Amino acid sequence: MARVVRVAVPNPLRRWFEYLPPAGDPGTSRLRPGMRVKVPFGGSVRIGVVLETGAEPEIDPGKLRRVAECLDEEPSIPPPLLRLLTWAASYYHHPIGEVFRTALPAGLRRARREGPAARAWRLTESAATSGSLPRAPRQAALVAALENAAREGGEPWLDEARLASIPNWRPAMRALARKGWVEPLVVAPAQAAGGAAQLAAPNESQAQAIEAIASAAGTFQAFLLDGVTGSGKTEVYLTAIDRLVRDEGGQALVLVPEIGLTPQLVARFREALPFPVSVMHSGMAAGERLRSWEAARTGASRVVIGTRSAMFAPLARPALIVVDEEHDSSYKQQEGFRYSARDLALMRGSIERVPVVLGSATPSLESIHLVAAGRCRRLRLAERARGARMPRILLHDVRGQPLAAGLSERLLEAIDERLQRREQALLFVNRRGFAPVVLCHDCGEAIECRDCDSRLVLHRADRRLRCHHCGAERGIPVGCAACGSSELVSVGSGTQRLAEGLAERFPSARLLRVDRDSTRRRGSLDRIVRAAREGSADILVGTQMLAKGHDFPRVTLVGIVDADAGLLSPDFRAPERVAQLVTQVAGRAGRGTLAGEVIVQTRRPRHPLLIALASDGYPAFAAEALAEREEVRLPPFARLVLLRAEAPARATSAGFLATAREIAVELPRPGVEVMGPVPSPMERQGGRYRAQLLLRSASRSQLHAFLRPWVERIAAVRTPAGLRWSLDVDPIELG
Ligand code: ADP
Ligand code: ZN
Ligand code: ZN
């Protein structure tokens, strides 16, 4: 019986493909799972990943084609990562070839492994047993140098920088490599090796958390590090990493939100930990990314810090996974392969048998629920590490009050006080630009985007109107398109208008604006944050970019200009996001020795969730919000799947979803509710009509048992021209 190779080939079909082993390769193939192969596919050649070798064919082997070429010496994807990705393809019902393509760095999606040149060398195991080199003094000197490096307790290798002190080392090293005494490896650049970690002495609750994590070494255990802002979670990660990476000889994977991956954070890790730290994010150049990937795969880098996609970093000896700010929505990929890196972290931890630490000052309701269900252990840091007090949150009712550029008299006075005392104030608005809406004063008609159900935002600096959804822009019209009136007024408040209003009121105050417009240039957020910390601004005005991670010791007032927009959003997660944002922004206040105050302007001062948050803090809010979710059977008390469709014509997307619904109704679906189809909350975007069908079930297994045949049948439906559909398992936004 012929044995075949199963390969994940990038293409939209939800299955693997079978091939015969490469020509001239007998039954004992050198192919192993996780290796990249070139395979014929239709009329083209594609690069896939071997899932299985020596499988029984499902198709007549006489009809199968051969693997054209094996591209790897060693698997690009180590076995545990292969299991994770295979699991993810089935859990998210996404084409397996696309899942692997998403996971691989761009440099490995091409045939030529444009591998980074080796930058370091280490002794192999056979070197130790191979005797001496009396006739090759230069080789002997290299071996001695490598042995020394291993003995000194640092990294057991030498990089080119250190080898440079040995004259003519390259030919000698090549000779050793031919004998199998040394092997090349890729290391993260510019790394000090050895030495002691630079860590703060932990306080009592930090020490308890570190102990709990370290004692879970070598087993899967989920932890929720629930620590108020400024409680020293980062220090806990660092010490736990130091323990697990040093003592267990392992590697740590640290995920941070997109906005959290700043040069300061990376510098903090590099300065604190005496191990090679490498960085991985999607904005890196392909070569750089490939170097980090290889360094992780070979074990040369001991700590990998990255954003969402770093969840797919191959690790030679994983010891710990950390997800910082685990509630952050950037962990969910919102297009293509819609995975949640936070959820995958838990699955990866259980496959790799390592502890997983989810950290946050504002844990997701999912995580709080996991703790309640006994599947995650909560580690609490209730106090700020430097003893600073948590700020008070005041709900300020602005109904019927005069507002200047969106600011109430109460908030303006509070700002004035800070200016007098030479402290800083931070004002937070949801929206960049000048004003969210331009209205006709005579008929009330708003200027909307031609292609989206969305109003254009006025950006006054260049006098343009922009759509924040599709990016369309236009000049300010001379008159109202509906009634012809020339009286157009701008209402609402964006960062620009707020900054202008403040400049008028406090002409001598130094203002700093932080939003996507003001930080478009690379590294600019960093510069602004540094300027703010160094005290070269009195008032900071910003969007949520300012909410995370930054530490501004002189900020003692945080003003949240408008909490209502978030509360009124139709999305069931909106209140959770508002509460997280308010708490995170509030966490910027009073981090130094100065106490802080937070003023939240609202027209809904009796909103029960807002009251719980203001008077008893985030845990109280979370308890109430969870009770509400349970009552209405929403996550984490139910599982959701959203089928989205969009097309240039409304009828096309509606028709497709109606068919999907019919298929669902024909299938057995115990415990699964089918809701819709309905138009999406923003029905028109970029000129396309969007609609959705929602599935809900209390049981994950029942839901997935239904999904498999359903998705298969939907995928077989002949889709009309222009229609695009996608499946979102565990969506974080219902729009
Ligand atoms: P979080 O990540 O929880 O918001 P950080 O880890 O950024 O908090 O810590 C807040 C501040 O407290 C940082 O400046 C940090 O250096 C300091 N810090 C944390 N733990 C300690 C400690 N045990 N002793 C002294 N300072 C600490
Ligand atoms: Zn009008
Ligand atoms: Zn638009």
Side-chain angles (χ1 to χ4, degrees):
M1 187 59 147
R3 295 288 171 156
V4 298
V5 183
R6 291 189 176 151
V7 182
V9 186
N11 80 90
L13 297 175
R14 286 170 169 71
R15 53 158 307 151
W16 36 257
F17 292 82
E18 294 183 332
Y19 292 90
L20 298 171
D25 194 338
T28 54
S29 170
R30 74 176 183 89
L31 285 184
R32 274 182 286 151
M35 287 183 168
R36 296 171 311 128
V37 286
K38 233 190 217 179
V39 292
F41 190 83
S44 66
V45 174
R46 298 195 184 179
I47 291 173
V49 173
V50 175
L51 298 172
E52 224 183 308
T53 59
E56 300 260 352
E58 292 194 349
I59 302 178
D60 171 10
K63 293 190 175 146
L64 291 178
R65 298 205 269 174
R66 287 193 181 281
V67 169
E69 189 187 345
C70 174
L71 299 170
D72 288 336
E73 294 290 321
E74 278 177 50
S76 281
I77 310 248
L81 184 56
L82 192 75
R83 269 182 67 198
L84 178 78
L85 292 169
T86 310
W87 178 86
S90 93
Y91 181 77
Y92 291 105
H93 299 270
H94 197 70
I96 191 163
E98 299 295 336
V99 168
F100 278 83
R101 202 171 58 111
T102 308
L104 283 174
L108 293 182
R109 291 178 211 150
R110 288 189 295 270
R112 288 286 144 253
R113 187 176 196 126
E114 286 151 21
R119 306 200 143 202
W121 298 80
R122 69 178 159 212
L123 293 174
T124 59
E125 285 181 7
S126 62
T129 55
S130 301
S132 60
L133 294 159
R135 262 167 306 180
R138 208 164 269 143
Q139 292 176 36
L142 278 181
V143 170
L146 288 165
E147 277 171 352
N148 262 340
R151 253 200 309 274
E152 276 163 9
E155 299 299 334
W157 41 258
L158 290 175
D159 57 17
E160 296 189 351
R162 282 195 288 166
L163 285 165
S165 63
I166 303 169
N168 250 335
W169 64 271
R170 278 179 204 276
M173 192 68 87
R174 273 199 293 272
L176 285 173
R178 276 195 299 273
K179 293 194 181 97
W181 285 37
V182 296
E183 59 189 357
L185 73 163
V186 177
V187 297
Q191 279 309 309
Q198 306 290 310
L199 301 163
N203 61 33
E204 202 178 311
S205 35
Q206 284 174 319
Q208 277 172 13
I210 293 160
E211 218 36 65
I213 298 164
S215 63
T219 58
F220 170 56
Q221 156 97 60
F223 295 98
L224 173 61
L225 182 62
D226 177 1
V228 299
T229 48
S231 60
K233 294 184 289 297
T234 311
E235 293 296 323
V236 171
Y237 305 147
L238 288 169
T239 310
I241 290 168
D242 184 48
R243 298 258 308 255
L244 289 168
V245 167
R246 182 192 301 275
D247 302 349
E248 314 287 325
Q251 292 172 290
L253 175 61
V254 181
L255 292 198
V256 297
E258 258 151 33
I259 258 168
L261 189 61
T262 60
Q264 292 107 300
L265 179 92
V266 176
R268 174 81 191 103
F269 271 71
R270 291 210 159 123
E271 147 200 299
L273 298 171
F275 316 111
V277 173
S278 59
V279 175
M280 246 189 227
H281 59 86
S282 51
M284 282 164 96
E288 215 185 342
R289 185 115 192 258
L290 189 52
R291 258 203 296 284
S292 294
W293 169 277
E294 284 293 294
R297 191 182 65 80
T298 57
S301 79
R302 305 287 293 278
V303 179
V304 178
I305 311 182
T307 51
R308 181 177 65 227
S309 59
M311 179 40 63
F312 303 128
L315 297 172
R317 296 181 304 279
L320 177 66
I321 300 174
V322 172
V323 183
D324 186 29
E325 309 287 1
E326 62 87 24
H327 64 278
D328 196 274
S329 56
S330 74
Y331 287 127
K332 174 86 184 190
Q333 172 133 317
Q334 301 277 28
E335 57 186 30
F337 173 30
R338 294 172 150 80
Y339 64 94
S340 156
R342 176 242 178 235
D343 295 353
L344 287 181
L346 294 171
M347 183 43 81
R348 184 156 190 189
S350 90
I351 291 175
E352 310 256 23
R353 300 212 179 98
V354 299
V356 178
V357 179
L358 306 174
S360 178
T362 53
S364 61
L365 298 184
E366 274 75 7
S367 293
I368 295 173
H369 186 59
L370 272 188
V371 170
R375 294 172 48 205
C376 180
R377 180 163 163 209
R378 180 169 181 253
L379 306 169
R380 175 84 176 139
L381 307 179
E383 299 205 331
R384 287 186 157 185
R386 292 173 162 174
R389 273 175 296 143
M390 288 301 285
R392 233 161 23 99
I393 297 182
L394 175 82
L395 294 183
H396 180 48
D397 183 1
V398 293
R399 281 176 299 180
Q401 296 206 13
L403 299 177
L407 301 175
S408 63
E409 202 44 44
R410 170 83 179 74
L411 188 49
L412 287 166
E413 275 165 23
I415 296 169
D416 198 26
E417 268 173 46
R418 268 42 183 210
L419 294 175
Q420 309 282 346
R421 296 207 298 253
R422 310 214 145 271
E423 295 167 4
Q424 290 175 315
L426 189 163
L427 296 174
F428 176 83
V429 224
N430 241 323
R431 201 180 303 254
R432 66 199 157 95
F434 182 75
V437 200
V438 177
L439 286 178
C440 170
H441 188 61
D442 291 320
C443 76
E445 202 63 26
I447 304 182
E448 301 206 336
C449 175
R450 241 178 306 223
D451 296 323
C452 305
D453 289 333
S454 153
R455 297 181 188 101
L456 296 178
V457 175
L458 174 60
H459 288 237
R460 200 147 83 175
D462 55 0
R463 298 193 52 77
R464 304 287 288 172
L465 294 167
R466 291 203 173 81
C467 173
H468 285 192
H469 296 280
C470 71
E473 61 170 273
R474 55 173 293 188
I476 301 169
V478 285
C480 169
C483 75
S485 159
S486 58
E487 256 241 37
L488 298 175
V489 293
S490 53
V491 301
S493 202
T495 43
Q496 276 185 32
R497 160 173 274 192
L498 194 60
E500 277 191 31
L502 288 162
E504 257 167 53
R505 170 82 178 233
F506 306 110
S508 60
R510 293 162 308 163
L511 277 162
L512 206 53
R513 210 180 86 212
V514 188
D515 56 28
R516 199 128 54 82
D517 297 327
S518 73
T519 59
R520 220 171 281 280
R521 277 187 308 135
R522 254 187 95 152
S524 167
L525 174 61
D526 226 50
R527 265 201 299 285
I528 293 179
V529 166
R530 206 161 337 122
R533 292 180 53 135
E534 285 162 6
S536 60
D538 304 308
I539 306 177
L540 309 173
V541 173
T543 57
Q544 62 206 20
M545 272 190 161
L546 268 183
K548 285 165 202 162
H550 309 295
D551 191 354
F552 302 117
R554 294 201 66 78
V555 167
T556 59
L557 170 71
V558 168
I560 291 162
V561 176
D562 182 8
D564 301 337
L567 287 175
L568 294 175
S569 152
D571 201 287
F572 75 93
R573 285 184 209 271
E576 181 183 354
R577 295 233 176 79
V578 172
Q580 286 165 343
L581 200 67
V582 169
T583 311
Q584 296 280 350
V585 180
R588 302 309 119 212
R591 281 205 149 198
T593 45
L594 306 162
E597 179 183 30
V598 180
I599 298 178
V600 180
Q601 298 195 143
T602 175
R603 289 173 191 80
R604 322 194 88 210
R606 295 197 207 304
H607 196 293
L609 293 175
L610 211 49
I611 290 176
L613 181 68
S615 50
D616 300 311
Y618 187 81
F621 157 82
E624 288 233 357
L626 272 170
E628 259 184 29
R629 296 264 186 97
E630 182 162 26
E631 200 163 311
V632 294
R633 291 187 303 124
L634 282 171
F637 300 93
R639 306 227 160 217
L640 301 179
V641 170
L642 199 60
L643 176 66
R644 295 187 178 88
E646 52 163 84
R650 181 184 275 135
T652 316
S653 34
F656 173 78
L657 291 178
T659 309
R661 188 191 165 92
E662 278 164 29
I663 297 172
V665 172
E666 286 166 15
L667 286 169
R669 47 183 165 81
V672 178
E673 279 171 87
V674 182
M675 296 178 271
V678 295
S680 303
M682 184 186 296
E683 186 181 12
R684 222 159 52 94
Q685 191 178 336
R688 300 171 65 86
Y689 286 86
R690 312 183 322 144
Q692 59 195 39
L693 189 72
L694 186 65
L695 306 179
R696 170 163 72 180
S697 176
S699 151
R700 174 157 130 182
S701 54
Q702 286 185 329
L703 182 58
H704 284 264
F706 161 78
L707 281 174
R708 212 146 289 127
W710 185 58
V711 174
E712 208 165 282
R713 287 195 48 194
I714 292 174
V717 170
R718 271 188 61 140
T719 51
L723 181 105
R724 282 202 296 259
W725 64 271
S726 64
L727 195 74
D728 194 349
V729 175
D730 305 329
I732 60 162
E733 261 167 37
L734 296 189

